[in-house]
Amino acid sequence: MDAKKVSASKITISELMLPSHTNFSGKIHGGYILMLMDQIAFASASKYSATYCVTASVDTVDFLNPIEVGELVTLKASVNYVGNSSMIVGIRVISENIQTGTVKHCNSSYFTMVAKDSTGKNVTVPPLVLSNMDEVRRFCNAAKLIAQKKEHDQHVETFDYSSPEALEGLKQYRIKLEL
């Protein structure tokens, strides 16, 4: 299987935010932005792998700045890391007030996508070619994210929540235990 450059996965979409996209406070609904992020993650991963892809996980979605009605939202995505059948797609969301030209970074996130065949089985994706230090940085950050997830999963599997030490540690929180 021939390796592909990160540029083979790059996607940019822009959309004008409408009143129908707002939440009860009049800002653009976070769920709508998540939907756009999932769409661009799918497009980026599918473009790179040349196959159908599904979302396996979404890592750390921080809403940094609110988005207003009338702003132009631009999402940029690229594959930052590949495994055997999985890809980590980095996504950056910015909004622009098209009257003033003010640009805000609103969100960055990582979506793990998995390539599938027509029967739903995982398929191997091409190796990734890193062409510059920015791509190397993004790859290393994604590899670090994977290592942290594995460490977290191992901790969750082995941690005894019912031990006297664990229960004693809960006293620092604003809770009342009634066991």
Side-chain angles (χ1 to χ4, degrees), residues 15-81:
E15 186 172 329
L16 185 65
M17 294 296 104
L18 303 174
S20 60
H21 303 141
T22 60
N23 59 25
F24 293 111
S25 68
K27 308 296 183 196
I28 301 305
H29 196 288
Y32 186 75
I33 299 303
L34 284 170
M35 181 191 70
L36 294 176
M37 293 171 74
D38 192 49
Q39 288 176 3
I40 197 169
F42 168 82
S44 177
S46 294
K47 181 180 177 186
Y48 180 82
S49 65
T51 188
Y52 180 74
C53 295
V54 296
T55 306
S57 71
V58 179
D59 296 302
T60 311
V61 179
D62 293 322
F63 295 97
L64 306 173
N65 287 294
I67 300 171
E68 307 289 339
V69 170
E71 291 184 333
L72 184 65
V73 169
T74 300
L75 296 91
K76 295 181 179 190
S78 65
V79 170
N80 292 351
Y81 176 95

Side-chain angles (χ1 to χ4, degrees), residues 2-176:
D2 291 337
K4 288 187 176 181
K5 291 184 175 186
V6 172
S7 59
S9 71
K10 289 194 174 189
I11 301 277
T12 301
I13 61 171
S14 294
E15 186 172 329
L16 185 65
M17 294 296 104
L18 303 174
S20 60
H21 303 141
T22 60
N23 59 25
F24 293 111
S25 68
K27 308 296 183 196
I28 301 305
H29 196 288
Y32 186 75
I33 299 303
L34 284 170
M35 181 191 70
L36 294 176
M37 293 171 74
D38 192 49
Q39 288 176 3
I40 197 169
F42 168 82
S44 177
S46 294
K47 181 180 177 186
Y48 180 82
S49 65
T51 188
Y52 180 74
C53 295
V54 296
T55 306
S57 71
V58 179
D59 296 302
T60 311
V61 179
D62 293 322
F63 295 97
L64 306 173
N65 287 294
I67 300 171
E68 307 289 339
V69 170
E71 291 184 333
L72 184 65
V73 169
T74 300
L75 296 91
K76 295 181 179 190
S78 65
V79 170
N80 292 351
Y81 176 95
V82 297
N84 187 34
S85 62
S86 65
M87 297 154 280
I88 295 182
V89 177
I91 303 168
R92 182 177 178 90
V93 180
I94 60 168
S95 68
E96 178 183 1
N97 181 312
I98 55 178
Q99 293 174 332
T100 66
T102 303
V103 175
K104 299 181 291 190
H105 176 208
C106 299
N107 190 314
S108 290
S109 188
Y110 298 102
F111 279 52
T112 301
M113 308 298 289
V114 177
K116 300 284 187 177
D117 67 13
S118 60
T119 67
K121 292 186 179 178
N122 293 1
V123 295
T124 304
V125 298
L128 188 62
V129 176
L130 305 177
S131 303
N132 59 56
M133 291 308 292
D134 196 39
E135 292 172 359
V136 170
R137 176 185 58 80
R138 289 179 178 154
F139 181 89
C140 290
N141 285 343
K144 184 178 174 183
L145 179 68
I146 291 168
Q148 288 172 338
K149 284 174 72 173
K150 285 181 181 175
E151 183 179 318
H152 175 266
D153 291 347
Q154 183 179 15
H155 174 74
V156 169
E157 287 178 18
T158 61
F159 184 72
D160 179 6
Y161 295 94
S162 62
S163 71
E165 297 82 16
L167 293 173
E168 183 66 26
L170 293 176
K171 289 183 178 180
Q172 66 181 312
Y173 300 103
R174 292 181 43 88
I175 64 167
K176 181 179 178 184

